[in-house]
Amino acid sequence: MDFVIHRQDRQPLHLEGENLADAIERAVAEGRALNLAQLEGANLEGAHLERANLAWAELMEANLQGANLERADLRRADLTRAQLRHANLERALLMDANLRGANLAGADLRYANLVEADLRDADLTGANLEGADLRSAALERTDLRGAQASGAILDGAILWHANLAGADLEGADLEGALLVRAHLEDAQNAPEAN
């Protein structure tokens, strides 16, 4: 499979699947912007991508399990059905990112910016969303069982049919959130469902 990242001079740099994670890590270490990268289906499991610029990147169905994406810029990135189990996304910028159907179980999303992100049908079981900004995020049918969401900002978020059973919502801002048919069984500090 051929993967494409764009160099500083805007010319595409084609990468082969072998050693892809090493090539991407090297580019990040060199301070190279990887925005607009075409990495659909890439295996970046456990990669060190802290502070990477992956804005607008195409990462559909990519394997980023256990990857370190702390403070990474993933604005408007397409992470549809990506595997992000136990990934570190602390303070990552994910505004308007497409995470539809992504697996974020056990992921660290503390203080991540997910404003207007599409998380429909995503798996966030056991994820840490402490202080995360999810204003106006789409969370329909999202599985948030056992998630730590204390202090999260969910103002205007759409949580139709979301499963928040056992989630910790202490201090979470749910003003204007749509909780229609949301499952709140055993959720700590949960509001009444709409």
Side-chain angles (χ1 to χ4, degrees), residues 49-130:
L49 303 171
E50 47 271 24
R51 297 184 185 270
N53 180 353
L54 288 158
W56 296 84
E58 295 178 14
L59 290 153
M60 296 82 73
E61 298 183 356
N63 180 4
L64 290 153
Q65 291 187 76
N68 186 353
L69 291 151
E70 184 176 348
R71 296 182 187 265
D73 184 349
L74 290 152
R75 288 174 293 162
R76 296 191 178 210
D78 191 344
L79 291 146
T80 304
R81 292 181 305 282
Q83 294 299 315
L84 290 148
R85 285 180 63 84
H86 303 289
N88 180 2
L89 290 150
E90 184 180 352
R91 298 185 189 279
L93 302 176
L94 290 148
M95 293 89 77
D96 205 27
N98 185 351
L99 290 148
R100 191 167 189 172
N103 185 343
L104 291 142
D108 185 351
L109 289 150
R110 286 176 295 158
Y111 303 99
N113 188 331
L114 292 141
V115 172
E116 296 185 0
D118 185 351
L119 289 149
R120 288 176 288 175
D121 302 304
D123 182 355
L124 284 141
T125 54
N128 190 342
L129 292 157
E130 179 184 338

Side-chain angles (χ1 to χ4, degrees), residues 5-8 13 26-34 52-53:
I5 63 173
H6 295 275
R7 299 186 309 212
Q8 298 278 359
L13 175 64
R26 192 171 45 257
V28 170
E30 293 169 359
R32 247 188 226 171
L34 299 173
N53 180 353

Side-chain angles (χ1 to χ4, degrees), residues 22 52-53 117 172 175 177 182-183:
D22 291 339
N53 180 353
E175 185 177 329
H183 303 280

Side-chain angles (χ1 to χ4, degrees), residues 87-192:
N88 180 2
L89 290 150
E90 184 180 352
R91 298 185 189 279
L93 302 176
L94 290 148
M95 293 89 77
D96 205 27
N98 185 351
L99 290 148
R100 191 167 189 172
N103 185 343
L104 291 142
D108 185 351
L109 289 150
R110 286 176 295 158
Y111 303 99
N113 188 331
L114 292 141
V115 172
E116 296 185 0
D118 185 351
L119 289 149
R120 288 176 288 175
D121 302 304
D123 182 355
L124 284 141
T125 54
N128 190 342
L129 292 157
E130 179 184 338
D133 191 346
L134 292 139
R135 283 176 291 153
S136 301
L139 294 150
E140 293 110 55
R141 297 170 308 280
T142 299
D143 192 346
L144 291 146
R145 285 176 295 151
Q148 169 57 262
S150 59
I153 304 166
L154 291 150
D155 182 29
I158 302 168
L159 292 144
W160 292 339
H161 297 277
N163 190 346
L164 292 142
D168 182 359
L169 300 168
E170 182 179 350
D173 178 2
L174 290 153
E175 185 177 329
L178 296 175
L179 292 158
V180 177
R181 295 189 179 159
H183 303 280
L184 296 163
E185 299 84 20
D186 301 319
Q188 299 171 35
N189 306 296
E192 296 281 327

